[in-house]
Amino acid sequence: DLPLASGYQTLAGFLLYKWQKIPAVGEVLTFRDLEFTVLAANWLRVDRVRVCRLGDPAPAHPDRPIDKH
């Protein structure tokens, strides 16, 4: 569970809050037992992020978005 704060309401907002900037592609943030890797971003927003729980095996296709349906 990510901490709640009035400064953000989305995963991208959480990452911007932690980094205090728009991260570059490839930047990694570790928070508790989670690792967030920026897969796509531009000067305006974060588009795609890979989230891995530390200790879990690496995803088979790290550049493929996760189907949430």
Side-chain angles (χ1 to χ4, degrees):
D1 292 308
L2 297 178
L4 299 177
S6 61
Y8 57 86
Q9 296 180 357
T10 64
L11 175 58
F14 168 74
L15 296 175
L16 295 172
Y17 178 80
K18 296 302 275 184
W19 265 307
Q20 295 296 301
K21 65 177 182 127
I22 302 262
V25 172
E27 284 196 64
V28 176
L29 172 76
T30 301
F31 179 79
R32 296 184 184 160
D33 64 339
L34 299 174
E35 182 176 85
F36 302 90
T37 305
V38 177
L39 301 179
N42 61 35
W43 63 275
L44 190 58
R45 68 182 195 198
V46 176
D47 287 318
R48 286 189 354 192
V49 175
R50 178 177 59 224
V51 181
C52 295
R53 187 172 304 277
L54 297 176
D56 284 354
H61 302 281
D63 58 343
R64 186 182 310 164
I66 297 172
D67 184 8
K68 297 180 182 176
H69 302 280

